Amino acid sequence: MDLTLIVVLVIALALFFDFTNGFHDTANAMATPIATGAISPKKAVALAAILNLVGAFLSTEVAKTISGGIINEDPTSGVAIGPAMIFAGLMGAVIWNLFTWLLGLPSSSSHALFGGLVGAAIVGAGFASVNYSVLLSKVLLPALCAPVIAGISAYLCTKLAYAITKRENGAAPKRGGFRYGQIFSSSLVALSHGTNDAQKTMGIITLTLVASGLQDSDSGVQFWVVATCAFAIALGTYTGGWRIIATMGSGLTDVKPAQGFAAEMSTASAILTSSHLGFALSTTQVASGSVIGSGMGRKGGEVRWGTAGRIALGWLFTLPAAAAVGGVAAAITHLGTIGIVIVAIAGTGAMLTIWFLSRKQPHDHESNISDIDNSGAAVNILTKKERRAKAKAEAKLAKAAAAQKEADNS
Amino acid sequence: MIDWTAFLIVAAITWFSAMAIVAAYSFGVRLLAVAKDEGRNQSLSNAGAYACFAICGLIVLFGVVLIVPQLSEAILGFSSSH
């Protein structure tokens, strides 16, 4: 197959991936201010699209991690893998993403991308083609640390916001101002989404250009790559917004404006700082960490560890599963041109099948308009009445224990 | 091999910046509530509130300047990019 044709194929598929990423993640940023009525849905979606576009232009550190770190360099050809293998890896990521979307499983599109790429590289060029220390320090460890960091931040910020706005002698705290603050904090989340997620596609396209000898391995990301990725994610964000508007009014987790503001500020800070240091994160995971953290920071907040654990398990599963799909695709591309044709046709067929299946059955997870909404369900906020009942029960238990002790001593 | 200081930097900056912005905004919200109280200097409280909101914006702007290499070189005279 012509070298340039496969490059064009990879770029098209990468931009499609970028588009679905924006499509999928709009709700994460903009659902709460729309729900609280702080901003009209049309304005919110347009704002999110513009900020994703701007965010994509801010930094290229994450793109450099992907294009120049994860896959080892090869002295003869620049990088250890060819464009066909990147194509296979991307196909694995896209199919796994659509498949989990169809089943309503929690998943991370970023981890699907890395999984697919690593799986394809291992099958296509052996275990030595992947730089595991970069994979560990820039992808796997940040995936564990960043949601925890954001969660702790959201917990502290929620406590702080409630403490500062608490009024003495029964005056109303009037926390309504946080509703408008959420326009500001949601905008920052959209901006940070652009800085981290759009860059993953930039990294993939740059890696392809390097692998096919069209660019030096040590040069940065080209401007047209930045621009096309920025527009693809912005277009996806804008298109995805209509889905939120259509499903609006369905069950949204009980997030109060002050709490939402604290959570979103923590999410945006964590993602922006990580982007600057080249950590390729899943923005959904960070946002979920913040939602859970801020829920714990509210009076009477309790975590349903079972639900939280199920979500985390789905995330852990993403990387190896996408690696398996990417590996299979890479094995097929080894057949040469015919293999690439098979992967392209089978992949497109799988995408269309999943899409038709999704139209046929109404899915339950669509009632939850965003992934972080699922994480919100992992926090249980007790009402005042429930808190009192719980305190009473605990006091009773403590009394019984004390009485028991007394009886033992005598 | 693993750059643990990078994780410490992410944690410290996330906690510090998020808490600084949330604190500034919360004081703004509180001052707006105070402005509606009886016998208070309404315009002074309102001005304080908007000053707090402006501080939020400035912290965010500073963060963006730090992230964009061209801006940080032009304004701060150094770039923290790798």
Side-chain angles (χ1 to χ4, degrees):
Chain A
M1 185 177 269
D2 196 1
L3 184 70
T4 47
L5 182 60
I6 182 76
V7 171
V8 170
L9 267 179
V10 176
I11 293 175
L13 190 59
L15 289 176
F16 175 71
F17 180 82
D18 204 20
F19 176 85
T20 54
N21 193 324
F23 186 88
H24 192 262
D25 287 358
T26 326
N28 285 354
M30 284 299 172
T32 30
I34 296 176
T36 54
I39 186 168
S40 80
K42 272 186 187 178
K43 277 186 199 149
V45 171
L47 190 64
I50 292 167
L51 286 162
N52 262 288
L53 184 76
V54 173
F57 282 99
L58 290 186
S59 163
T60 53
E61 295 298 328
V62 174
K64 281 185 208 157
T65 297
I66 295 166
S67 69
I70 290 178
I71 306 295
N72 274 326
E73 290 187 13
D74 188 277
T76 48
S77 62
V79 251
I81 62 170
M85 274 174 246
I86 301 174
F87 181 67
L90 259 178
M91 202 51 114
V94 171
I95 290 174
W96 181 253
N97 255 347
L98 287 171
F99 182 68
T100 49
W101 173 72
L102 178 73
L103 296 182
L105 297 171
S107 166
S108 151
S109 47
S110 321
H111 285 197
L113 181 67
F114 297 123
L117 193 65
V118 167
I122 289 175
V123 170
F127 279 97
S129 62
V130 177
N131 188 336
Y132 296 98
S133 97
V134 171
L135 186 69
L136 185 69
S137 66
K138 293 273 172 97
V139 179
L140 295 179
L141 282 176
L144 292 175
C145 294
V148 175
I149 291 172
I152 294 171
S153 170
Y155 174 82
L156 295 173
C157 287
T158 307
K159 288 260 180 220
L160 192 66
Y162 278 102
I164 290 175
T165 50
K166 193 174 164 103
R167 304 288 308 274
E168 308 74 34
N169 42 39
K174 296 197 179 70
R175 296 195 179 103
F178 282 109
R179 249 178 44 177
Y180 299 97
Q182 277 202 285
I183 301 175
F184 175 64
S185 58
S186 298
S187 301
L188 272 179
V189 172
L191 186 83
S192 64
H193 182 257
T195 60
N196 207 291
D197 275 11
Q199 284 197 59
K200 288 164 194 147
T201 316
M202 292 177 208
I204 290 290
I205 294 178
T206 305
L207 184 66
T208 313
L209 293 176
V210 172
S212 54
L214 295 169
Q215 188 180 334
D216 282 337
S217 62
D218 48 354
S219 61
V221 182
Q222 292 183 26
F223 183 74
W224 69 265
V225 177
V226 177
T228 45
C229 290
F231 277 102
I233 204 164
L235 195 67
T237 306
Y238 194 74
T239 323
W242 300 110
R243 194 177 53 121
I244 318 181
I245 295 163
T247 50
M248 211 49 237
S250 58
L252 196 82
T253 337
D254 168 41
V255 177
K256 289 271 189 294
Q259 179 200 354
F261 181 79
E264 283 167 356
M265 270 306 161
S266 305
T267 305
S269 305
I271 297 174
L272 283 172
T273 324
S274 303
S275 295
H276 188 55
L277 290 165
F279 291 170
L281 293 172
S282 160
T283 50
T284 307
Q285 290 175 359
V286 177
S288 301
S290 292
V291 166
I292 292 177
S294 71
M296 286 165 76
R298 261 179 70 183
K299 232 181 212 166
E302 281 185 339
V303 179
R304 296 191 182 104
W305 290 112
T307 313
R310 258 205 313 284
I311 294 169
L313 205 67
W315 291 345
L316 279 180
F317 201 54
T318 305
L319 208 101
V325 182
V328 170
I332 300 172
T333 58
H334 254 282
L335 298 172
T337 308
I338 186 79
I340 295 172
V341 174
I342 291 173
V343 170
I345 291 174
T348 318
M351 283 180 219
L352 287 175
T353 315
I354 290 171
W355 190 67
F356 276 118
L357 282 176
S358 77
R359 305 224 80 183
K360 226 194 271 169
Q361 54 170 39
H363 15 160
D364 304 327
H365 66 278
E366 285 272 285
S367 59
N368 271 344
I369 62 169
S370 73
D371 281 348
I372 52 166
D373 211 31
N374 288 327
S375 316
V379 191
N380 184 25
I381 312 245
L382 300 174
T383 61
K384 228 173 210 166
K385 211 172 162 190
E386 286 169 328
R387 282 210 303 271
R388 258 186 231 133
K390 201 182 163 202
K392 227 180 200 170
E394 271 166 8
K396 214 173 174 184
L397 272 176
K399 217 174 173 183
Q404 183 71 37
K405 221 173 174 185
E406 204 121 294
D408 287 348
N409 285 347
S410 63
Chain B
M1 284 306 257
I2 298 162
D3 187 7
W4 290 108
T5 47
F7 289 96
L8 287 180
I9 291 171
V10 170
I13 293 180
T14 299
W15 292 335
F16 179 78
S17 57
M19 286 180 80
I21 294 171
V22 169
Y25 198 91
S26 302
F27 277 118
V29 168
R30 190 191 169 99
L31 281 172
L32 280 185
V34 166
K36 294 204 179 73
D37 287 357
E38 297 276 319
R40 288 275 188 163
N41 189 337
Q42 199 179 338
S43 52
L44 187 71
S45 299
N46 274 334
Y50 291 115
C52 286
F53 297 144
I55 290 171
C56 286
L58 285 177
I59 297 172
V60 172
L61 273 183
F62 180 68
V64 170
V65 166
L66 273 181
I67 286 170
V68 183
Q70 291 89 344
L71 283 181
S72 56
E73 250 159 56
I75 297 170
L76 306 171
F78 71 93
S79 169
S80 57
S81 303
H82 305 272

